[in-house]
Amino acid sequence: MESKGNTLVNDCNFMGIRPIMADLPYPQIQVREKNPSYANLLSIDYCGAVSEMSAITQYINNENRLSGERCPVAKTLLGIAMAEMMHLQKLGELIVLLGGNISFVAKYRNGGAKMWTPEYLKIPENLKGMLLSDIEAEKGAIAQYEAHMRMMKDDCVNAVLARIIKDEEYHIMLLHALMQSI
């Protein structure tokens, strides 16, 4: 954070930030057949408590709060958030191909449904807490994707989820490295 007269300026330059993800291609976005049950499972990954929507929002919130004082960490979190946005987009495509719709409502197997809410987020006040929350969220996402892959018998959908998991594992590695640097 820089001061220019009576004005505070955030001099953290975010030009050129790109999604931070594993250097592997994504499989083609396709499904074997329409399956609303699978679409509902993916809606949980899309906008449930443990979801890409939650990850994006949590990373952006942390990035915003850190950009003035911890620019390199903020840039990393923004790059991870951008990768999570790509995951959200791919899940949205799969949901539509499976016959579902995008409504920011997670649809559960018991018939329940819940609209995404920022109440799902963990917003610690300090950097270490932020990074630990992000690591736990990534681990939760991986566990949920793995559980959903066991429930879905569509190799096309599961290939995309397996590729997303590679990014989440990479994010955990980066977050651990950031923890070591503080």
Side-chain angles (χ1 to χ4, degrees), residues 46-47 53 88 101-106 114-116:
Y46 189 86
C47 64
M53 180 63 67
L88 185 77
N101 62 6
I102 305 302
S103 60
F104 297 100
V105 173
K114 184 160 186 209
M115 180 170 268
W116 185 86

Side-chain angles (χ1 to χ4, degrees), residues 104-123:
F104 297 100
V105 173
K107 298 170 183 102
Y108 297 93
R109 294 176 68 190
N110 65 5
K114 184 160 186 209
M115 180 170 268
W116 185 86
T117 173
E119 292 172 6
Y120 293 148
L121 306 179
K122 292 184 180 144
I123 310 292

Side-chain angles (χ1 to χ4, degrees), residues 70-91:
R70 300 253 190 185
C71 185
V73 175
K75 286 180 177 185
T76 300
L77 296 182
L78 180 59
I80 293 173
M82 293 168 76
E84 305 295 358
M85 288 177 207
M86 294 177 70
H87 300 164
L88 185 77
Q89 188 275 332
K90 291 176 186 324
L91 290 172

Side-chain angles (χ1 to χ4, degrees), residues 47-58:
C47 64
V50 175
S51 68
E52 298 299 337
M53 180 63 67
S54 294
I56 293 163
T57 308
Q58 186 165 306

Side-chain angles (χ1 to χ4, degrees), residues 125-140:
E125 288 303 315
N126 61 53
L127 176 57
K128 183 178 181 182
M130 288 178 198
L131 296 175
L132 287 172
S133 281
D134 292 341
I135 289 167
E136 289 309 308
E138 295 284 2
K139 288 178 179 178

